[in-house]
């Protein structure tokens, strides 16, 4: 059963209602910003969606992980919130193709960071259904991120030497 509590259902619906402010064709927030900036409203709405792609995943995480809405011991809530925040941050960095300390990354590296962010934010129940435990999933994600960092650092180092 996906939705285990009425609170998760209500938060899911409320959250998606708030996402309408950046999702075309409604996109009231994006369209207001476009009129102030004298830009194309639809293009601004789609850019807002691209920049906010990570927040489209959060309501599903409420439904999959009850500790994100406080239905768990305090230690578990803290760990799951930190894990989810890291995953959401990585997905956001990937969609913007900018990593802290590395600058602009390639499309391939951004795709790997996106996948690692998804792996990190998924709750333990999802990994158990796939036959992995959480530590294995986090290890895979960490290796992917380390590989991206090494490749992007090497590319930046090579470019600096060429100058």
């Amino acid at each position: 059963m996906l939705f285990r509590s009425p609170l998760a259902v209500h938060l899911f619906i409320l959250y998606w209602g708030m996402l309408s402010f950046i999702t075309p064709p409604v996109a009231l927030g994006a369209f207001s910003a476009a009129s102030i900036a004298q830009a194309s409203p639809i293009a601004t709405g789609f850019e807002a969606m691209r920049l906010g792609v990570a927040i489209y995943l959060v309501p599903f995480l409420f439904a999959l992980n009850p500790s994100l809405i406080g239905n768990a011991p305090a230690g578990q809530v803290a760990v799951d919130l930190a894990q989810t925040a890291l995953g959401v941050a990585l997905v956001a960095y990937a969609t913007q193709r900018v990593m802290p300390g590395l600058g602009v990354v390639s499309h391939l590296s951004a795709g790997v960071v996106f996948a690692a962010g998804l792996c990190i934010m998924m709750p333990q129940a999802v990994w158990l259904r796939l036959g992995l435990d959480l530590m294995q999933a986090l290890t895979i994600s960490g290796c992917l991120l380390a590989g991206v960092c090494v490749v992007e650092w090497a590319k930046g180092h090579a470019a600096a030497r060429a100058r």
Side-chain angles (χ1 to χ4, degrees):
M1 184 171 165
L2 183 61
F3 293 106
R4 296 183 196 130
S5 73
L7 180 59
V9 173
H10 285 87
L11 284 174
F12 188 90
I13 293 168
L14 176 71
Y15 202 96
W16 275 101
M18 292 293 103
L19 285 176
S20 69
F21 283 97
I22 65 167
T23 307
V26 177
L28 294 175
F31 288 178
S32 298
S35 68
I36 292 169
Q38 297 177 350
S40 167
I42 294 293
T44 304
F46 281 117
E47 185 66 16
M49 271 183 64
R50 186 185 71 82
L51 293 175
V53 74
I55 63 176
Y56 286 95
L57 303 172
V58 172
F60 294 100
L61 297 174
F62 286 156
L64 293 171
N65 195 351
S67 68
L68 292 178
I69 57 175
N71 291 340
Q76 184 66 35
V77 169
V79 168
D80 287 347
L81 282 175
Q83 177 184 339
T84 302
L86 176 62
V88 167
L90 289 173
V91 168
Y93 291 143
T95 57
Q96 295 174 29
R97 287 190 44 227
V98 175
M99 291 290 292
L102 296 175
V104 177
V105 297
S106 68
H107 288 286
L108 179 62
S109 294
V112 170
V113 170
F114 188 88
L118 286 178
C119 288
I120 290 171
M121 76 171 63
M122 285 299 127
Q124 188 170 3
V126 172
W127 291 114
L128 291 176
R129 286 190 180 197
L130 295 175
L132 297 172
D133 70 356
L134 184 61
M135 288 311 296
Q136 290 172 325
L138 293 178
T139 302
I140 292 168
S141 300
C143 291
L144 289 173
L145 291 173
V148 166
C149 289
V150 167
V151 167
E152 291 296 328
W153 177 82
K155 284 183 359 186
H157 192 66
R161 270 194 181 162
R163 289 186 220 158

